[in-house]
Amino acid sequence: MSVLVYIEADNGTIKGSSIEAAFYASQAAKGQAVTAVVTDKLEDSAIGELGKYGVQKVLKVSDERLAEKPVAPIATAIAAGVAESGANLVIMARSSLTDAVAPRLGIKIKAAVASNVVALPSQEGGEFVVKRSIFTGKAFVDVALKGDKKVITIKKNSVSPQATDSASVDIASLDVNFGDKDFSITLKDVKKQEGDILLPEADLVVSAGRGLKGPENWSMIEDLAKTLGAATACSKPVSDMDWRPHHEHVGQTGIKVSPSLYIAVGISGAIQHLAGVSSSKTIVVINKDEEAPFFKNADYGIVGDAFDVVPKLTEALKNA
Amino acid sequence: MKILVCISHVPDTTSKIKFSDNALDTNGMSFVIGPYDDYALARAVELKESHKATVTAINVGKSDTEPTIRKALAIGADDAIRVDAEPIDAFFVATQIAEIAKSENYDLILMGREASDYNGGQVHGMVAEMLDMQAIVPCMTLDIDGNTATMTREIEGGKEIITCDLPFVAGCQEPIAEWKIPNMRGIMMARKKPLKVVEAVQPEVLIETKSYELPPARSNCKMFTSDDMASLVRALKEEAKVI
Ligand SMILES: Cc1cc2nc3c(=O)[nH]c(=O)nc-3n(C[C@H](O)[C@H](O)[C@H](O)COP(=O)(O)OP(=O)(O)OC[C@H]3O[C@@H](n4cnc5c(N)ncnc54)[C@H](O)[C@@H]3O)c2cc1C
Ligand SMILES: Nc1ncnc2c1ncn2[C@@H]1O[C@H](COP(=O)(O)O)[C@@H](O)[C@H]1O
């Protein structure tokens, strides 16, 4: 299957999740062409990296207006990439951008769309089947995508990318005829925490809940996160009370994460919280109540007071 | 101002998910308005008061969704439409909503960020593309002044403030409004509000469901004491191999 992968960059480097998407694309292509579309500013040297993950050709769309990642024009640009490359499968790593782009693109190119895909497709007998995470991580469904064109967005950790050294990538620029209404949203302001590890991208996450008593106690969580190189997250009541920013809230109604390691401190483990984190590979729970439901969904647990346990864990990590 | 609010009918978030005969086992399950759709509805009802809006709730579903639709009416929608069909997939649902929106000229189409059952997060983008409108997702605040809306959209690691002229589609999430609980008067009035049932159009179906499965349960939780964090660190390194 001829495959197109959309590559997203952040501050001039390719996002880790997009590297995963490139590798996923080359695995799904089964030897057929893999083309990438890039709409973010990236040096050709940075783009070259994609060769190691199986991308042969990169179509670069250079338009200043795309720097703010507007959804509608990026969908138009990817559709142009599909027309140019003749791809019949489009792969994107899930992000706040691609979640919005995928359905638009699906309609533009008349494709079957599957979001939240967690593993490589099965392509036996000419049928294209992918596994999707549904019910906020409580179940999976296998769906067959029909028709000539398909768009899928993949969840983090759906493949483990392996680099090869063959690396030649052909870079070409792609001209796009944007629609009249593509740029009808005006960006007024962006409030972004710079320097922090982005939660949806993070491979390690330290999360804390109401058990921490107040926002002033978060420094020990930040210390632990910094020691690990982890992102910080929180439960819903914590962001509702403004102890932490909203974009850190994970769960059913928040961000869904699937890191390698999720450490939950002073979080009871309500079903709506678990919904957003249960697909993490390894879960560590720190809670003073041995009956906390989270222990039933954890791999490692410590019954104890967070104010005692967390500094000791940070210390042990520093000494290890 | 005319607002359309799209309501999904989903299992309560506390539901234990099970399957039998290759379908969701709804035995003993209670169904609710999708939690994100509840935010959309709450904001629409607020706009009713501040902007003299009329609010229509729409659901694509069979007759078993009517109690959920009545709840939307009790919360404050003025009337409702049920497109009488099983909501097979996002494309099917989007086609129905776009079909109705084409003739009704809504100023605003509000949805949830995603339906909490199949977590597609696609209906808003599809409807917007079908109607050649913008879709703002996830939308955290929404204020309207004349023909222009100012919104906050969540992005990775933060948020952005944007403006867009009406009409458009927004996929809502908190803190756009507080969930509203219907009161007695609302429930009484909801019984008399119009609920129109319309037939579905039949688009080509491109997604076929094969089978469902549940995630593997986590094996027993290994316990450590706070004085033995070195052992936990070792387990994370050597056993789980995650650090
Ligand atoms: C429709 C709906 C959607 C929801 N969506 C979400 C969601 O997306 N995300 C989410 O998180 N919640 C969500 N919730 C809320 C959820 O039901 C819980 O209320 C919430 O997760 C509880 O947060 P918590 O664990 O931080 O607080 P609590 O339940 O209050 O738990 C605090 C925990 O800290 C422990 N503790 C207290 N002191 C200490 C200490 N000193 N040391 C160690 N442990 C301590 C306690 O034993 C307790 O287990 C949703 C609810 C509904 C109804
Ligand atoms: N069957 C349905 N009827 C009406 N609206 C729906 C239906 N399913 C989904 N929606 C709307 O579309 C949004 C996104 O749903 P989804 O793309 O299925 O995750 C939901 O939050 C609802 O507002």
Side-chain angles (χ1 to χ4, degrees), chain A residues 107-190:
Chain A
I107 298 303
K108 278 185 199 293
I109 66 170
K110 298 191 169 49
V113 187
S115 55
N116 251 330
V117 169
V118 297
L120 283 167
S122 130
Q123 303 185 58
E124 275 161 46
E127 197 173 44
F128 187 90
V129 180
V130 287
K131 192 180 294 300
R132 299 187 53 229
S133 165
I134 54 172
F135 289 101
T136 331
K138 291 189 219 168
F140 297 102
V141 63
D142 280 354
V143 290
L145 308 192
K146 312 272 178 195
D148 174 47
K149 293 215 170 356
K150 301 159 180 71
V151 174
I152 65 179
T153 63
I154 60 172
K155 244 181 117 160
K156 193 175 158 52
N157 283 335
S158 46
V159 284
S160 325
Q162 280 143 29
T164 57
D165 15 81
S166 70
S168 96
V169 183
D170 170 18
I171 303 175
S173 63
L174 176 68
D175 286 329
V176 180
N177 286 322
F178 291 107
D180 296 344
K181 293 192 187 156
D182 273 354
F183 290 99
S184 57
I185 289 179
T186 311
L187 182 66
K188 294 288 183 189
D189 194 14
V190 183

Side-chain angles (χ1 to χ4, degrees), chain A residues 104 131 136 278 280 300, chain B residues 117 119 133 174 213 218 239:
Chain A
R104 291 203 88 106
K131 192 180 294 300
T136 331
S278 59
S280 307
Y300 302 108
Chain B
D117 49 4
N119 305 123
M133 289 179 188
E174 59 179 7
E213 68 191 87
R218 276 181 205 272
E239 194 176 65

Side-chain angles (χ1 to χ4, degrees), chain A residues 17-86:
Chain A
S17 54
S18 282
I19 293 286
E20 257 182 51
F23 182 73
Y24 186 109
S26 66
Q27 297 296 299
K30 295 196 180 287
Q32 295 223 42
V34 180
T35 308
V37 167
V38 176
T39 58
D40 291 319
K41 245 200 193 113
L42 264 182
E43 298 292 333
D44 286 359
S45 56
I47 289 178
E49 178 79 0
L50 293 170
K52 294 188 199 153
Y53 298 93
V55 172
Q56 290 126 23
K57 183 164 185 172
V58 176
L59 300 170
K60 233 167 94 162
V61 183
S62 309
D63 190 314
E64 284 298 326
R65 296 174 295 178
L66 301 182
E68 311 292 356
K69 302 193 187 242
V71 174
I74 288 176
T76 303
I78 301 172
V82 171
E84 171 72 20
S85 64

Side-chain angles (χ1 to χ4, degrees), chain A residues 71 96-97 99-100 185, chain B residues 111-114 121 124-125 134-140 151-155 160 162 169-173:
Chain A
V71 174
S96 64
L97 172 66
D99 277 354
I185 289 179
Chain B
M111 305 193 188
R113 156 194 201 151
E114 66 177 21
H124 26 68
Q134 295 286 354
I136 290 85
V137 190
C139 180
M140 298 170 73
M151 287 164 279
T152 312
R153 189 175 96 93
E154 186 159 73
I155 53 173
E160 59 185 25
I162 55 178
V169 179
C172 307
Q173 73 170 26

Side-chain angles (χ1 to χ4, degrees), chain B residues 42-113:
Chain B
R43 186 67 189 127
V45 170
E46 288 174 359
L47 291 170
K48 231 175 99 157
E49 278 135 38
S50 58
H51 288 70
K52 296 199 181 16
T54 57
V55 176
T56 300
I58 185 169
N59 168 262
V60 180
K62 302 297 279 184
S63 58
D64 59 317
T65 69
E66 289 202 0
T68 303
I69 302 175
R70 288 281 170 207
K71 188 173 167 211
L73 292 169
I75 287 171
D78 299 293
D79 60 353
I81 303 168
R82 180 169 68 81
V83 180
D84 186 27
E86 210 54 68
I88 319 168
D89 63 17
F91 179 65
F92 183 87
V93 171
T95 304
Q96 312 307 328
I97 295 171
E99 182 70 20
I100 287 168
K102 264 176 210 157
S103 53
E104 288 292 331
N105 298 318
Y106 295 104
D107 299 290
L108 198 54
I109 302 179
L110 297 185
M111 305 193 188
R113 156 194 201 151

